[in-house]
Amino acid sequence: MRWPFTQKSPCAKGYTLVEAVLTIALLATVMISISPFVRTAVTAWSLGDRKAELLQNARVGMDVLTTTLRQAKRVCKIPWNLTGDYVAVRNANDTQTIVFFWNHASCPYYVGNTSLIHDNSLVMCTINDTGTANPSNCTNSLVAKSLSNFSITFKNSSGDEVQLPYRVDAMDILLNLSDPQGVVSDTVV
């Protein structure tokens, strides 16, 4: 009589160790050969996602800026050098002054780094009727972050640059954002 473990049943089918090792080796070869393509796809997705986030940040910043400027009653302060990094306007009701500025050390409205607002941010400061921008009467709101450039060129109705706020009829706004994480190498305009 034979041991039951050594008998092969005619219905019993299975894989040998050699077959299993060959299957694993073949699957590993296939996985190694397609991994660069998967890595490239994941990198491209991450880059596209980060760029879309920067574009959305720029779009929201420009929307807030342009909507407020269109609704403003008048321009009340512009930089002396015709092209500047801030603009002050009176709101539609003429009850508050709203200042948009690029938060950096040479800007007269610079607020430094806070929990929300950091250097190179576009900030909207709403000033109560007392007139000066100080922490007790100024509400700062973050409009866009990671600016690499922000400038406004002030023009009259014929397209000439002007120096006086009451002569401003139009503005050319340049808003560039850069990725602080370095994922997106170029700036977003």
Side-chain angles (χ1 to χ4, degrees):
M1 178 177 201
R2 295 182 131 184
W3 290 94
F5 300 114
T6 60
Q7 271 186 327
K8 277 193 165 181
S9 165
C11 296
K13 294 181 181 179
Y15 296 104
T16 65
L17 180 61
V18 172
E19 291 171 329
V21 168
L22 285 175
T23 303
I24 291 171
L26 182 63
L27 284 174
T29 304
V30 169
M31 294 302 287
I32 288 172
S33 66
I34 66 169
S35 68
F37 300 111
V38 172
R39 188 177 309 119
T40 302
V42 168
T43 302
W45 182 275
S46 174
L47 180 66
D49 191 43
R50 185 69 185 143
K51 196 164 193 169
E53 182 182 340
L54 284 172
L55 284 170
Q56 181 66 15
N57 189 13
R59 188 177 304 116
V60 168
M62 281 300 278
D63 285 348
V64 169
L65 181 64
T66 56
T67 301
T68 304
L69 292 176
R70 283 186 183 130
Q71 294 174 351
K73 184 169 185 129
R74 62 188 159 87
V75 176
C76 56
K77 187 173 183 183
I78 61 176
W80 60 271
N81 61 354
L82 301 180
T83 310
D85 50 9
Y86 70 90
V87 61
V89 297
R90 293 293 287 176
N91 68 349
N93 302 331
D94 206 15
T95 57
Q96 293 177 324
T97 301
I98 300 171
V99 181
F100 287 95
F101 64 94
W102 181 11
N103 192 43
H104 60 91
S106 63
C107 180
Y109 297 96
Y110 180 64
V111 293
N113 287 316
T114 65
S115 59
L116 179 65
I117 298 170
H118 301 287
D119 284 347
N120 296 321
S121 296
L122 178 60
V123 180
M124 180 177 79
C125 175
T126 306
I127 304 170
N128 294 335
D129 273 334
T130 56
T132 58
N134 61 50
S136 63
N137 69 349
C138 181
T139 305
N140 290 316
S141 304
L142 179 65
V143 178
K145 57 185 179 178
S146 306
L147 271 68
S148 60
N149 190 11
F150 175 70
S151 66
I152 304 172
T153 305
F154 304 94
K155 298 182 175 186
N156 61 15
S157 58
S158 60
D160 299 324
E161 293 183 1
V162 294
Q163 291 180 327
L164 302 172
Y166 63 87
R167 293 196 177 167
V168 174
D169 293 320
M171 298 179 209
D172 289 339
I173 301 169
L174 174 68
L175 175 69
N176 289 353
L177 280 77
S178 61
D179 185 12
Q181 297 173 357
V183 175
V184 179
S185 59
D186 55 342
T187 59
V188 177
V189 179

